[in-house]
């Protein structure tokens, strides 16, 4: 049932936002969109959907030069401390995503950013578009998916 719901959500976004959906099914299921030269890739293991990741970045992203990783905040386990004097190479607002996901931010030599969220399982339309739009508005100043969609 979970696989059908994920498939339905991505097909819904493709039709409502007029973007082309590319789907590949092999060892992993892979959904990908491209809008305004920003590529969104959702991949997961169909046998265990908890192994799921969402990657959002330019289509021409090259090998990462700088990488930042922050683990998901978990109850009772302290999260890694970010020192105030430590300079981040991306907007601090993205650190809010660590409340729900494990966050990876990569930067290539052309100053392009790619953000990867581990543990991303789309359950509802709102839970799917909110982190995606938050990332795209913060980094690229546009909404990836329309928020006027009704369930």
């Amino acid at each position: 049932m979970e696989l059908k719901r994920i498939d339905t959500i991505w097909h819904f976004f493709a039709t409502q936002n007029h973007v082309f959906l590319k789907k590949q099914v092999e060892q992993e299921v892979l959904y990908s969109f491209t809008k305004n030269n920003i590529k969104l890739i959702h991949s997961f293991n169909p046998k265990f959907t908890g192994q799921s990741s969402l990657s959002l970045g330019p289509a021409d992203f090259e090998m990462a030069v700088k990488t930042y990783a922050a683990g998901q905040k978990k109850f009772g386990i302290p999260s890694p401390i970010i020192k105030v004097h430590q300079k981040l190479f991306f907007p601090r607002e993205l650190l809010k995503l660590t409340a729900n996901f494990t966050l990876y931010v990569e930067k290539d030599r052309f100053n392009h950013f790619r953000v990867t969220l581990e543990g991303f399982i789309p359950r509802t339309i709102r839970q799917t578009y909110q982190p995606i739009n938050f990332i795209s508005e913060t980094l690229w100043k546009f909404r990836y998916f329309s928020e006027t969609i009704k369930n």
Side-chain angles (χ1 to χ4, degrees):
M1 186 65 188
E2 183 101 11
L3 297 176
K4 182 66 177 161
R5 178 178 36 208
I6 293 170
D7 190 57
T8 304
I9 286 173
W10 289 124
H11 281 283
F12 176 77
F13 279 120
T15 57
Q16 292 295 319
N17 293 282
H18 307 292
V19 290
F20 178 72
L21 171 65
K22 183 178 177 186
K23 179 181 173 182
Q24 292 178 331
V25 179
E26 293 174 6
Q27 296 290 350
E28 284 191 332
V29 179
L30 186 90
Y31 293 94
S32 85
F33 296 97
T34 302
K35 182 176 181 179
N36 291 353
N37 200 29
I38 303 298
K39 190 169 192 170
L40 179 142
I41 299 172
H42 178 232
S43 62
F44 63 93
N45 183 348
K47 294 178 183 173
F48 180 63
T49 56
Q51 294 177 346
S52 175
S53 70
L54 177 102
S55 179
L56 194 63
D60 57 349
F61 186 86
E62 292 187 1
M63 188 173 79
V65 175
K66 288 185 177 180
T67 304
Y68 177 84
Q72 178 181 1
K73 294 180 182 175
K74 295 182 178 157
F75 181 73
I77 301 173
S79 63
I81 298 172
I82 298 171
K83 298 178 180 98
V84 177
H85 64 274
Q86 180 182 1
K87 178 147 173 56
L88 296 176
F89 58 89
F90 59 91
R92 281 193 185 273
E93 296 87 41
L94 292 180
L95 292 176
K96 294 176 186 173
L97 294 170
T98 59
N100 299 320
F101 309 105
T102 301
L103 174 74
Y104 298 97
V105 180
E106 298 170 312
K107 182 178 178 182
D108 69 357
R109 64 185 178 136
F110 299 113
N111 291 330
H112 297 142
F113 291 103
R114 179 171 57 197
V115 178
T116 303
L117 302 176
E118 293 280 332
F120 181 83
I121 304 167
R123 291 192 168 89
T124 65
I125 291 170
R126 174 171 277 147
Q127 287 178 347
T128 305
Y129 76 71
Q130 280 181 337
I132 295 169
N133 282 349
F134 179 69
I135 293 168
S136 65
E137 285 178 353
T138 303
L139 293 176
W140 301 291
K141 309 297 184 233
F142 76 96
R143 287 189 177 147
Y144 205 88
F145 293 125
S146 172
E147 293 183 4
T148 59
I149 299 170
K150 301 292 181 197
N151 252 347

